[in-house]
Amino acid sequence: MNPFESTPAVTMQGQFNTSDTHKYSVILPTYNERKNLPVIVWLLAKTFQENGLEWEVIVVDDASPDGTQDIAKELANVYGEDKILLRPRAGKLGLGTAYIHGLNFVTGDFVIIMDADFSHHPKFIPQFIQLQKAHNLDIVTGTRYRSTSTPYLEEASPGGVHGWDLKRKLVSRGANFLASTVLSPGVSDLTGSFRLYRLPVLRHIISETVSKGYVFQMEMMVRARALGYSVGEVPITFVDRIFGESKLGADEIVSYGKGVWALFTTV
Amino acid sequence: MARAHRVAAIAVFSTVLYFLAFFQYVSVPFVSESTALALLPVLPWWLLVSFGAYSLWSLGWGLFTFRDCPEAYQELLGEITAAKNDLRSKGVTVD
């Protein structure tokens, strides 16, 4: 077979007008993020501009009563209507469907999903991109539990969490151990939601995913592994609840256990 | 085939092999009869205790190596202030 006609050779270079040749679409589901949205968009814009990347942010707002959509429109005036896309929905319809809705408007060839509350910092996006390019990965996920990336990346700094006490850390490690033993997912942080996906890969995985809530994130990763997509990990720092305290109730723990069991028996 | 089915299949297969050896229908290769008779009854308990020990170690090590990142928090606070000032100057309503 002609190596110049193999799939990676043909698809690795994108069609866009930067030296990077790819466009990165960030899907940002928001609900009452009036205070956080401008700052997160500013950080994203700064990161993308400093690295010479083509970008866009798709704000999927679930009819926030606090005026998040007005702020998004002001940001669109500052950065451009082609950079900040406000695509609202009629009500609070959940995270998974927010991504599906956002995917309808993606014009890039890579999609980044992240939280809008500063727990995920855009400064790690260039590291995700670098790792993805170095190994032609389908998915790159951020991990809070590792100090080095897999595969190796020199620029990666150790991950960590700010704002968790010992009990919260124990719960987190226990949950992760449970999921790792039962599901063997091949990633160290299964509940993390800071990820870079190749667009066709994300479309495929989302079409197969059935759960709701944050088990959705876990299911996406487990299905990705089951479907054979290549996954890399980059350590990230996670600043939880910059305003206020992090709480984890018993209900969430039970639903987490149920989610892991559901994944064990269906995937 | 879901993961649960794969795990169940391997578990059933291993259990059948174990009981075949335990009740001496099949002889265990490379070890003598007396050694096998002494070891097989305790094998499941040994596996259980080993798994428990591994789990405890894993949790403890995970807790021990769980990094805090106060510098990330401080950096983020500084960036939030810078972002707000910059955006205010561009006409976006912040706060």
Side-chain angles (χ1 to χ4, degrees):
Chain A
M1 190 194 73
N2 184 355
F4 296 105
E5 289 173 347
S6 65
T7 321
V10 166
T11 59
M12 206 180 287
Q13 191 173 55
Q15 316 296 326
F16 295 95
N17 210 8
T18 48
S19 62
D20 177 79
T21 73
H22 294 289
K23 183 169 180 180
Y24 299 92
S25 304
V26 181
I27 300 182
L28 217 53
T30 59
Y31 186 73
N32 283 348
E33 300 280 4
R34 184 198 174 88
K35 289 189 186 153
N36 299 338
L37 186 63
V39 180
I40 199 81
V41 166
W42 187 87
L43 285 171
L44 281 167
K46 177 163 166 272
T47 309
F48 285 124
Q49 280 159 7
E50 277 175 2
N51 290 281
L53 300 166
E54 184 68 41
W55 62 282
E56 65 180 357
V57 173
I58 300 170
V59 179
V60 179
D61 186 64
D62 284 356
S64 299
D66 70 345
T68 306
Q69 298 186 21
D70 302 324
I71 301 289
K73 287 184 195 141
E74 287 181 18
L75 288 166
N77 286 336
V78 171
Y79 289 106
E81 296 267 335
D82 58 328
K83 292 275 190 282
I84 313 290
L85 284 71
L86 172 65
R87 298 290 177 263
R89 298 197 294 172
K92 204 160 192 265
L93 299 170
L95 196 62
T97 44
Y99 293 139
I100 296 173
H101 181 81
L103 271 179
N104 292 328
F105 307 105
V106 162
T107 58
D109 49 354
F110 284 91
V111 178
I112 295 167
I113 60 166
M114 59 188 290
D115 293 343
D117 61 354
F118 308 128
S119 51
H120 298 141
H121 198 299
K123 71 180 174 187
F124 294 105
I125 292 177
Q127 291 179 16
F128 283 21
I129 293 171
Q130 211 170 343
L131 191 68
Q132 189 280 322
K133 284 182 187 167
H135 301 273
N136 199 25
L137 298 169
D138 296 313
I139 303 172
V140 180
T141 177
T143 172
R144 297 161 287 187
Y145 301 127
R146 290 184 55 98
S147 313
T148 55
S149 62
T150 36
Y152 180 69
L153 184 72
E154 198 180 324
E155 287 79 7
S157 53
V161 176
H162 171 86
W164 283 2
D165 58 357
L166 196 65
K167 189 168 145 227
R168 181 72 180 87
K169 285 185 188 177
L170 180 63
V171 170
S172 174
R173 276 292 187 187
N176 207 262
F177 177 75
L178 175 73
S180 288
T181 316
V182 171
L183 297 170
S184 207
V187 291
S188 61
D189 190 350
L190 194 58
T191 51
S193 50
F194 191 9
R195 297 183 186 152
L196 168 73
Y197 292 90
R198 223 193 275 275
L199 180 61
V201 171
L202 182 59
R203 287 201 203 276
H204 184 198
I205 296 175
I206 278 197
S207 69
E208 306 255 330
T209 310
V210 296
S211 27
K212 307 261 175 277
Y214 70 90
V215 179
F216 176 82
Q217 301 285 3
M218 283 167 44
E219 184 176 350
M220 282 216 285
M221 187 49 71
V222 175
R223 289 217 183 257
R225 298 294 290 190
L227 290 168
Y229 290 122
S230 50
V231 180
E233 287 192 292
V234 171
I236 56 163
T237 52
F238 184 90
V239 178
D240 195 11
R241 296 282 168 185
I242 193 160
F243 309 112
E245 286 186 15
S246 171
K247 288 186 257 295
L248 191 67
D251 290 341
E252 289 185 12
I253 298 180
V254 166
S255 74
Y256 176 83
K258 282 192 200 163
V260 172
W261 177 255
L263 284 178
F264 182 59
T265 49
T266 53
V267 178
Chain B
M1 204 191 205
R3 185 174 162 84
H5 303 145
R6 287 194 295 271
V7 167
I10 296 176
V12 163
F13 182 69
S14 317
T15 313
V16 164
L17 269 186
Y18 170 74
F19 278 121
L20 281 178
F22 185 65
F23 292 119
Q24 295 170 276
Y25 289 111
V26 169
S27 64
V28 181
F30 307 122
V31 295
S32 69
E33 186 93 22
S34 53
T35 326
L37 272 183
L39 287 179
L40 280 172
V42 293
L43 192 65
W45 311 117
W46 176 84
L47 281 173
L48 190 64
V49 171
S50 301
F51 178 70
Y54 166 71
S55 311
L56 271 181
W57 174 84
S58 177
L59 275 177
W61 180 250
L63 261 186
F64 181 65
T65 54
F66 212 144
R67 283 189 75 251
D68 267 321
C69 49
E71 73 283 348
Y73 178 64
Q74 298 302 328
E75 187 191 341
L76 183 58
L77 286 180
E79 279 173 336
I80 290 177
T81 338
K84 284 186 177 167
N85 292 334
D86 187 34
L87 285 170
R88 226 172 259 131
S89 71
K90 289 188 178 149
V92 181
T93 352
V94 282
D95 264 9

